[in-house]
Amino acid sequence: LADKGVKVFDLSADYRINDAAIYEEAYKLKHLHKDWLTKAVYGLAEIFTDNIKSAELVAVPGCYPTSILIPLIPLLRADLIDHTRLIADSKSGVSGAGKKATMTTHFCEANEDFKPYGIMTHRHRPEIDNIIGRASGKRTHICFTPHLVPMNRGMISTIYSTTKASKAELLAAWHKAYDDKPFVRIREDGSIPSVKYVANTPYVDIALYTEETEYGTQVIIVSALDNLLKGASSQAMQCFNIRMGFDEGAGLR
Amino acid sequence: LADKGVKVFDLSADYRINDAAIYEEAYKLKHLHKDWLTKAVYGLAEIFTDNIKSAELVAVPGCYPTSILIPLIPLLRADLIDHTRLIADSKSGVSGAGKKATMTTHFCEANEDFKPYGIMTHRHRPEIDNIIGRASGKRTHICFTPHLVPMNRGMISTIYSTTKASKAELLAAWHKAYDDKPFVRIREDGSIPSVKYVANTPYVDIALYTEETEYGTQVIIVSALDNLLKGASSQAMQCFNIRMGFDEGAGLR
Amino acid sequence: LADKGVKVFDLSADYRINDAAIYEEAYKLKHLHKDWLTKAVYGLAEIFTDNIKSAELVAVPGCYPTSILIPLIPLLRADLIDHTRLIADSKSGVSGAGKKATMTTHFCEANEDFKPYGIMTHRHRPEIDNIIGRASGKRTHICFTPHLVPMNRGMISTIYSTTKASKAELLAAWHKAYDDKPFVRIREDGSIPSVKYVANTPYVDIALYTEETEYGTQVIIVSALDNLLKGASSQAMQCFNIRMGFDEGAGLR
Amino acid sequence: LADKGVKVFDLSADYRINDAAIYEEAYKLKHLHKDWLTKAVYGLAEIFTDNIKSAELVAVPGCYPTSILIPLIPLLRADLIDHTRLIADSKSGVSGAGKKATMTTHFCEANEDFKPYGIMTHRHRPEIDNIIGRASGKRTHICFTPHLVPMNRGMISTIYSTTKASKAELLAAWHKAYDDKPFVRIREDGSIPSVKYVANTPYVDIALYTEETEYGTQVIIVSALDNLLKGASSQAMQCFNIRMGFDEGAGLR
């Protein structure tokens, strides 16, 4: 389709990583259209807005990368946190495990359970590092652990790093990046993002907390989004709106 | 196995109905061992105790029939309620829908939903009438509606009829039938059976409530059990214990 | 407020029953404004539409009565079902138990539990009979059993009666009553109403099923609505729209 | 009671931290019996076994510290992980929020939600550092983030550090500490601890995973326990058994 000039907004994983070697290692598949890898634009709507405006193929990211990249990229671009130690502990509702009926998604298995999965092997880990590199120039190796929560939808990522900057400087980087973006909400009143506030909405809520210790200043970032909307379909709509020159939030409010 | 003299405790549906025509109509299957239909004993442990003691093949009932037959049979045997109008509105946890991963058992389908299913077509309806007939001699056509509850295990049946007897007479029939039975608990303190009190136990709790109206005396019966235990495996164990001459509750307390 | 000419849409229970004696018996309270009891209009939007148009005080019904009265009234008005035997077995999400933090609404009590409550004592029972009388002239004594389901919102009522009419006649009465009403959906394709289809919407879905037996024709009615919307706030909005001459669904779609 | 010679097994928080200043800072209370602070033994059954044997007052720890200290202490004692960077991301079922009916424990608030709370302010953080110091001599400042999961019971802690040791060395330290302990299960077959495997049991399951990166070797530890058993009452029983010279698992299997 893209070869024929149709503008494509792709929710699959095939054009998210722009390096075929990383893709093939992560997905154990041969990539069939490597020529498009460098032409595809990563559809993280608030970060690659300008590229999306003229994109032919937008590779819309999924829920885990969106929830991690939105808070991290402005801080890494401004060199405000230690990019050599990034930990993302993410928790997803069961719809994140897919529509297919499997033992993992069986009600009696998922209900009243909670667990990590894909430790150190999840395919979104190399994607996150790849995009951080493209957006900020930093070489990272994020430590990413996804967990399954017994609820239908919603996602929280709790992200850990250390910083030499002040909380005000960290928040300033976020404000600079997102004050003109309709769907990123910075919570700085001390309240904590939660699934309830973002479920069934196109928003991602982000907040950060710092603590000085004798071993440096810890920073904890919390982000919350609906994995089916900002983590999938509403972000695709956002990209479509940006590409077509429509209001970014058309059809989403 | 049964032909070879092995004592069989069967949790399948194949020998529960002792009339091949009803079975074949309900299951749309040809019955392959009709000779065993009349020899099989229905494993409702408190009702067919004596037959179980010498049974070669025990057809252990499932959760819906157990939750309905245990409270109804003593009242029907004593002719205390109107057998021409019996309504059983039953509600089961998702484990009742089976171990198989299907759309029905997918977490995101079952969670935050509630619904009836199999209205007027559920295969347990003819079984319930068949057993009522065998146990009490009454010809009935129970109106049975199962529902799916978003919880792992447990079952409530809310059963409706009318009566010309007093509440005391109804309770007396239960006491006569069950006072020497370890796993039937009659609640007559006004409290209401609930899944919490029976989940993970081999008990069935029963209670009844009456109300006089200008159109006669309504009776509401509530029964509660764990569909995986008294509604399946622990009842099979009970039958086994009875058959072998062991203490009825061996291994179950 | 109503005395001063303000149009009032009241979600409390105080003006739903138009007979002070029944109200005082059910609520164990002295009624303070009996003069308004006969002036108040019951806000079941599809049934009392014409009265609502000129009402000064609309007593908007709650979830249980709405889910039971919407399917029953057209059938009782046309004398199609046996009004002397009406049973409503209703199931509500936990939000129906109120916003207050109580042991009943504690997560660890409600989750993984299911149970009936208020058997033969629930205050909505006399209200339902009162409204049936006002709408159809029939004297009834409905047998009403509410249950609590471990989900946030939604309600199913499974209603039982007998009939001498055909299924087509019953459906025809519904179509006559509701074909021009935007928020009542008659399901007659054999599918079964479920909470998933009505949660977060102003709709009430209704369906019915019949079965001929040697003791007469059973009829089972299933209705589904969102207890917080059609069972409360969206119905209040509907009444407001009707009263003000606006489109009935303004702000609700 | 302890002053009178009664052996006390205390599930409150008052004698867990042996430093009154830290206690008073964390709990905003004046400590009334400081003389007992140094005599009290911390009831982490597998770590302070010998002290418990002769204890007069056992301060039994709660769920978060148990789930974090059990895996960490052997590794810190053997100096195998970087004690200056310890992150514990913990997730608890709603029973962890207490028996009291509050907005936090209201079904409709907790259900279909997930969120962190008490970020950098939770009172268990100083307790964890205090016990690590007493058990291993290491001065730490753990970064601890608790989260609330919509399930009744169970807890997962996902713990992050870095190491210069091999995975085999880390596991060896665990085996040395726990091979003779009945309720700590080391999972080293690649499977991942989950709530399902420990709910309603007195066990704590632990596993660890390592990954070499250009910035050092990451180590992820996962522990799972039932917050009401190994995280509370069954651990108190374990302490009681140890103190009285009974079999450690008496009454718990």
Side-chain angles (χ1 to χ4, degrees):
Chain A
L1 284 171
D3 280 334
K4 288 181 178 156
V6 177
K7 290 173 200 81
V8 174
F9 301 85
D10 179 13
L11 273 163
S12 87
D14 290 340
Y15 299 91
R16 292 170 178 166
I17 297 171
N18 72 354
D19 179 324
I22 299 175
Y23 173 86
E24 295 184 348
E25 163 76 15
Y27 288 87
K28 316 291 177 209
L29 286 174
K30 191 128 205 76
H31 201 289
L32 301 178
H33 299 283
K34 292 181 190 172
D35 51 323
W36 274 100
L37 282 185
T38 45
K39 285 188 277 178
V41 170
Y42 193 73
L44 192 61
E46 289 80 6
I47 298 295
F48 297 100
T49 324
D50 288 339
N51 311 61
I52 293 165
K53 281 179 184 159
S54 58
E56 295 171 85
L57 169 55
V58 178
V60 183
C63 45
Y64 286 127
T66 298
S67 75
I68 294 164
L69 292 167
I70 285 286
L72 281 184
I73 286 173
L75 307 182
L76 290 166
R77 279 180 169 167
D79 220 3
L80 294 173
I81 56 173
D82 183 351
H83 72 278
T84 69
R85 29 167 129 176
L86 295 176
I87 292 165
D89 190 286
S90 296
K91 299 90 174 177
S92 171
V94 180
S95 57
K99 199 187 160 179
K100 211 177 148 196
T102 63
M103 270 302 124
T104 299
T105 60
H106 193 298
F107 184 87
C108 300
E109 290 294 313
N111 186 42
E112 294 296 290
D113 197 11
F114 179 86
K115 63 185 162 223
Y117 65 97
I119 294 180
M120 288 169 174
T121 62
H122 199 284
R123 300 180 300 188
H124 283 161
R125 211 268 308 143
E127 177 184 332
I128 295 166
D129 288 327
N130 178 257
I131 303 303
I132 287 176
R134 287 152 71 182
S136 75
K138 297 285 183 307
R139 262 180 87 86
T140 58
H141 190 107
I142 197 164
C143 181
F144 166 61
T145 315
H147 300 71
L148 201 63
V149 185
M151 61 186 178
N152 283 350
R153 61 202 295 170
M155 171 168 288
I156 293 282
S157 285
T158 315
I159 304 167
Y160 301 90
S161 188
T162 56
T163 187
K164 285 180 174 145
S166 68
K167 186 173 177 184
E169 288 170 300
L170 300 171
L171 285 169
W174 276 0
H175 280 293
K176 193 177 153 214
Y178 297 128
D179 275 355
D180 62 340
K181 301 295 181 183
F183 296 131
V184 179
R185 297 188 298 205
I186 302 167
R187 285 181 167 258
E188 53 187 314
D189 59 353
S191 71
I192 298 180
S194 99
V195 161
K196 271 275 192 300
Y197 298 129
V198 295
N200 301 298
T201 82
Y203 293 99
V204 52
D205 283 0
I206 55 176
L208 61 83
Y209 314 85
T210 56
E211 186 178 31
E212 286 174 45
T213 79
E214 61 189 288
Y215 303 117
T217 300
Q218 286 277 5
V219 52
I220 301 181
I221 297 162
V222 178
S223 72
L225 53 74
D226 185 321
N227 57 307
L228 300 173
L229 295 178
K230 182 62 183 169
S233 58
S234 80
Q235 183 150 256
M237 282 292 299
Q238 246 184 298
C239 291
F240 174 83
N241 288 334
I242 291 167
R243 178 62 184 85
M244 308 309 283
F246 301 156
D247 170 58
E248 186 171 339
L252 295 177
R253 287 191 185 95
Chain B
L1 284 170
D3 281 334
K4 290 182 179 152
V6 177
K7 292 172 199 78
V8 173
F9 301 85
D10 179 13
L11 273 163
S12 88
D14 290 340
Y15 298 92
R16 292 171 178 166
I17 297 171
N18 71 355
D19 180 323
I22 300 174
Y23 173 87
E24 294 183 349
E25 164 76 15
Y27 288 88
K28 315 294 176 208
L29 286 173
K30 191 129 205 77
H31 201 290
L32 302 178
H33 301 282
K34 293 181 190 173
D35 51 323
W36 274 99
L37 282 184
T38 45
K39 285 188 276 179
V41 171
Y42 193 72
L44 193 60
E46 288 80 6
I47 298 296
F48 297 100
T49 324
D50 288 339
N51 311 62
I52 293 166
K53 281 179 183 158
S54 58
E56 294 170 86
L57 169 55
V58 178
V60 184
C63 44
Y64 286 127
T66 298
S67 75
I68 293 164
L69 294 166
I70 285 287
L72 281 183
I73 285 174
L75 306 181
L76 290 167
R77 280 180 169 168
D79 221 2
L80 295 172
I81 56 173
D82 183 352
H83 73 278
T84 71
R85 30 167 128 176
L86 295 176
I87 291 165
D89 190 285
S90 298
K91 300 88 175 175
S92 170
V94 181
S95 57
K99 198 187 160 178
K100 211 176 149 197
T102 63
M103 269 303 124
T104 299
T105 59
H106 193 298
F107 184 88
C108 300
E109 290 294 314
N111 186 41
E112 293 297 289
D113 198 10
F114 179 87
K115 64 184 164 224
Y117 66 97
I119 293 179
M120 289 170 174
T121 62
H122 199 283
R123 301 180 299 190
H124 283 161
R125 211 268 309 141
E127 177 184 330
I128 294 166
D129 288 327
N130 178 258
I131 303 302
I132 288 176
R134 289 152 69 181
S136 75
K138 298 284 182 307
R139 262 180 87 86
T140 58
H141 191 107
I142 196 163
C143 182
F144 167 60
T145 315
H147 300 71
L148 202 63
V149 186
M151 61 186 177
N152 283 350
R153 62 201 297 169
M155 170 170 288
I156 292 283
S157 284
T158 316
I159 304 167
Y160 301 90
S161 188
T162 57
T163 186
K164 286 181 175 145
S166 67
K167 186 173 177 183
E169 289 171 299
L170 300 171
L171 286 169
W174 277 0
H175 280 294
K176 193 177 151 212
Y178 299 127
D179 275 357
D180 62 339
K181 301 293 182 183
F183 295 131
V184 179
R185 296 187 300 204
I186 302 166
R187 284 181 168 260
E188 53 186 315
D189 58 353
S191 72
I192 297 179
S194 100
V195 162
K196 271 274 191 301
Y197 298 129
V198 295
N200 302 297
T201 83
Y203 293 99
V204 52
D205 284 0
I206 56 177
L208 61 82
Y209 314 84
T210 58
E211 186 178 31
E212 286 173 47
T213 80
E214 61 189 289
Y215 302 117
T217 301
Q218 286 278 4
V219 52
I220 301 181
I221 296 162
V222 178
S223 72
L225 54 73
D226 185 322
N227 57 308
L228 300 174
L229 295 178
K230 181 62 182 169
S233 58
S234 81
Q235 183 151 256
M237 282 292 300
Q238 247 184 296
C239 292
F240 173 84
N241 288 334
I242 291 167
R243 177 65 184 84
M244 308 310 284
F246 302 155
D247 170 59
E248 187 171 338
L252 294 176
R253 287 191 185 95
Chain C
L1 283 171
D3 281 334
K4 288 181 181 156
V6 177
K7 291 173 200 79
V8 174
F9 301 85
D10 180 14
L11 272 164
S12 87
D14 290 341
Y15 298 93
R16 292 170 179 167
I17 297 171
N18 72 354
D19 180 323
I22 299 174
Y23 173 87
E24 295 183 349
E25 165 76 16
Y27 288 87
K28 315 294 177 207
L29 285 174
K30 192 128 205 74
H31 201 290
L32 301 177
H33 300 282
K34 292 181 190 172
D35 52 324
W36 274 99
L37 283 184
T38 46
K39 285 187 278 179
V41 171
Y42 193 73
L44 193 60
E46 288 81 6
I47 298 295
F48 298 101
T49 324
D50 288 339
N51 311 61
I52 292 166
K53 281 179 183 157
S54 58
E56 295 170 86
L57 170 55
V58 179
V60 183
C63 43
Y64 286 127
T66 298
S67 75
I68 294 164
L69 293 166
I70 285 286
L72 281 184
I73 286 173
L75 307 182
L76 290 167
R77 281 181 168 167
D79 220 1
L80 294 173
I81 55 173
D82 183 351
H83 72 279
T84 72
R85 26 167 130 177
L86 294 176
I87 291 165
D89 190 286
S90 297
K91 299 89 174 174
S92 171
V94 181
S95 57
K99 199 187 160 178
K100 211 177 148 196
T102 64
M103 268 304 124
T104 299
T105 58
H106 192 298
F107 184 87
C108 300
E109 290 294 314
N111 186 42
E112 293 296 289
D113 197 12
F114 179 86
K115 64 186 163 221
Y117 66 97
I119 293 179
M120 290 171 172
T121 62
H122 199 283
R123 299 180 301 189
H124 283 160
R125 211 268 309 143
E127 177 184 331
I128 294 166
D129 287 327
N130 178 258
I131 302 302
I132 287 176
R134 288 152 71 181
S136 76
K138 297 284 183 306
R139 262 180 88 85
T140 57
H141 190 106
I142 197 165
C143 182
F144 167 60
T145 314
H147 300 70
L148 200 63
V149 186
M151 63 186 176
N152 283 350
R153 62 201 298 170
M155 169 169 290
I156 293 281
S157 284
T158 316
I159 304 167
Y160 301 91
S161 188
T162 57
T163 186
K164 287 180 174 145
S166 68
K167 187 172 176 183
E169 289 170 299
L170 300 171
L171 285 170
W174 277 1
H175 280 293
K176 193 177 151 213
Y178 298 128
D179 275 357
D180 62 340
K181 302 294 182 184
F183 296 130
V184 179
R185 296 188 298 205
I186 302 166
R187 284 180 167 260
E188 53 186 315
D189 58 354
S191 72
I192 298 181
S194 99
V195 161
K196 270 276 191 300
Y197 298 129
V198 295
N200 302 298
T201 83
Y203 292 99
V204 52
D205 283 1
I206 56 177
L208 61 83
Y209 314 85
T210 56
E211 185 178 30
E212 285 174 48
T213 79
E214 61 189 289
Y215 303 116
T217 301
Q218 286 279 3
V219 53
I220 301 181
I221 297 162
V222 178
S223 71
L225 53 74
D226 186 322
N227 57 308
L228 300 173
L229 295 178
K230 182 62 182 167
S233 57
S234 80
Q235 182 150 254
M237 282 292 300
Q238 247 184 297
C239 292
F240 173 84
N241 288 335
I242 291 167
R243 177 62 185 85
M244 308 310 285
F246 301 154
D247 170 59
E248 187 171 338
L252 295 177
R253 288 193 186 94
Chain D
L1 285 171
D3 280 335
K4 288 180 179 156
V6 177
K7 290 173 200 79
V8 174
F9 301 85
D10 179 14
L11 272 164
S12 87
D14 290 341
Y15 299 92
R16 291 170 178 166
I17 297 171
N18 71 354
D19 179 324
I22 299 174
Y23 173 86
E24 295 184 348
E25 165 74 16
Y27 287 87
K28 315 294 175 207
L29 286 173
K30 192 128 205 74
H31 201 290
L32 300 178
H33 300 283
K34 292 181 190 174
D35 51 322
W36 275 99
L37 283 184
T38 45
K39 285 187 278 179
V41 170
Y42 193 73
L44 194 60
E46 288 80 7
I47 298 295
F48 297 100
T49 324
D50 288 338
N51 311 61
I52 292 167
K53 281 179 184 159
S54 57
E56 295 171 85
L57 169 54
V58 178
V60 183
C63 44
Y64 286 127
T66 298
S67 75
I68 294 165
L69 292 167
I70 286 287
L72 281 184
I73 286 174
L75 307 182
L76 290 167
R77 279 179 169 170
D79 220 2
L80 295 172
I81 57 173
D82 183 351
H83 72 279
T84 70
R85 27 168 130 176
L86 294 177
I87 292 165
D89 191 286
S90 296
K91 300 88 174 177
S92 170
V94 181
S95 57
K99 198 187 160 178
K100 212 177 148 195
T102 64
M103 270 303 123
T104 299
T105 59
H106 193 299
F107 184 86
C108 300
E109 291 292 315
N111 186 41
E112 293 297 289
D113 197 11
F114 179 86
K115 63 185 163 221
Y117 66 97
I119 293 179
M120 288 172 174
T121 62
H122 199 283
R123 298 181 302 191
H124 283 161
R125 211 267 309 142
E127 177 184 330
I128 295 166
D129 288 327
N130 178 257
I131 304 302
I132 287 176
R134 287 152 71 181
S136 75
K138 296 284 184 307
R139 262 180 88 84
T140 58
H141 191 107
I142 196 164
C143 182
F144 167 59
T145 315
H147 300 70
L148 202 63
V149 185
M151 63 185 176
N152 284 349
R153 62 200 298 169
M155 170 168 290
I156 293 282
S157 284
T158 317
I159 304 167
Y160 301 90
S161 188
T162 56
T163 187
K164 287 182 173 142
S166 68
K167 187 172 177 183
E169 288 170 300
L170 299 172
L171 285 170
W174 276 1
H175 280 293
K176 192 177 151 213
Y178 298 127
D179 275 356
D180 61 340
K181 302 293 181 183
F183 295 130
V184 178
R185 296 188 297 205
I186 302 166
R187 285 180 167 260
E188 52 187 315
D189 59 354
S191 72
I192 297 180
S194 99
V195 161
K196 271 274 190 301
Y197 299 129
V198 295
N200 302 297
T201 83
Y203 293 98
V204 51
D205 283 0
I206 56 177
L208 61 82
Y209 313 85
T210 57
E211 186 177 32
E212 284 173 48
T213 79
E214 62 189 288
Y215 302 117
T217 301
Q218 285 279 4
V219 53
I220 301 182
I221 297 162
V222 178
S223 71
L225 53 75
D226 185 321
N227 56 308
L228 299 173
L229 295 178
K230 182 61 183 169
S233 58
S234 80
Q235 182 149 256
M237 282 293 299
Q238 245 184 297
C239 290
F240 173 84
N241 287 335
I242 292 168
R243 177 64 184 85
M244 308 311 284
F246 302 154
D247 170 59
E248 187 171 340
L252 296 177
R253 286 192 186 93

